[in-house]
Amino acid sequence: MSDRLDKNTPAIEVENLTSHYGTREILKDISLEVSRGEILVIMGGSGSGKSTFLRSLLGLKKATSGKVRLLGKDILKLDESEMHSMRKNMGVAFQGGALFNSLTVGENVRLPLREHTVLDESTINIMSRMKLEVVNLAGFEDLKPAELSGGMIKRAALARAIVMDPQLLFFDEPSAGLDPVAAVELDELILTLRDAMRMTIVVVTHELESAYKIADRITVLDQGKILMTGSVEEVKNSSNKRIQSLLHRQARNEEIDADEYLSRLTRQSSTH
């Protein structure tokens, strides 16, 4: 693993990031920084670019232009071997857990250690049990994913994501599909990881209650652009009407230019 960052160097730096799917522009000139040990929550409505932005941070989506620096390195310039090394410092907890159903919980958690280290089996077993204890799943390592509740699957996926003590941890909709109690427990776990392990954490979520509880700062995306980045209170008190409509789940009310709308329909008809 790479050396720890200088305390003044941001863990994540994004500069003028632009991304397309074909000719469609998804992310538009995005810039932000995430400090070491910070929890940044990314919010936005459907189609705002949240998922594409997360994939860009993970190096899964190649940007059209701009820079994405993780731990001081521009991942857009890394070759395959260098990116492989970078990913050893990154933990990812996917929305559905993404556990291997044919493996036990313990085998799922041990997998990254077997794939990316030369540790002996005894050490691997100890490290995986430690992480299962961190997420309150001690004693469940011999169960299969199908035998777990939704909340337990999320925590097992989290144990796998942190088993190599990554500097960066990424969450995709951690509370999605969980009952209120399980969601609160997962929020507490995220805060514990930040405080106890000094991880830098990026969370994509649409759950307002969760975002308000865990975020040091919130970035609000809309139509591929950053509307604002600020503290929970700054976002809550924003005068931006679009942000307020997102926070209060209000439908977007846009005035339609009848002439422009008719012209667009005519252009579309002529192409078919």
Side-chain angles (χ1 to χ4, degrees), residues 3-75:
D3 295 332
R4 294 285 163 172
L5 282 177
D6 177 86
K7 64 181 181 179
N8 295 319
T9 303
I12 300 172
E13 301 169 88
V14 180
E15 293 183 12
N16 308 117
L17 180 68
T18 297
S19 185
H20 290 76
Y21 282 115
T23 59
R24 184 184 174 197
E25 190 177 43
I26 305 299
L27 300 178
K28 305 170 184 178
D29 198 33
I30 287 180
S31 297
L32 62 78
E33 293 185 353
V34 186
S35 301
R36 294 192 314 160
E38 181 180 24
I39 298 177
L40 178 75
V41 170
I42 300 171
M43 300 186 68
S46 178
S48 62
K50 301 189 305 295
S51 296
T52 299
F53 186 41
L54 180 61
R55 288 173 58 83
S56 298
L57 293 179
L58 296 174
L60 300 176
K61 175 72 175 78
K62 194 74 171 178
T64 306
S65 61
K67 297 179 180 179
V68 178
R69 295 191 191 92
L70 303 183
L71 308 177
K73 296 182 178 180
D74 186 351
I75 64 171

Side-chain angles (χ1 to χ4, degrees), residues 4 16 20 22 36 45 59 83 110 112 115 130 132 134 153 172 174 195 205 244 272:
R4 294 285 163 172
N16 308 117
H20 290 76
R36 294 192 314 160
M83 193 63 208
R110 290 191 287 270
E115 291 284 324
M130 287 173 61
L132 285 169
V134 168
I153 287 174
D172 184 16
D195 296 337
T205 185
Q244 289 304 317
H272 294 296

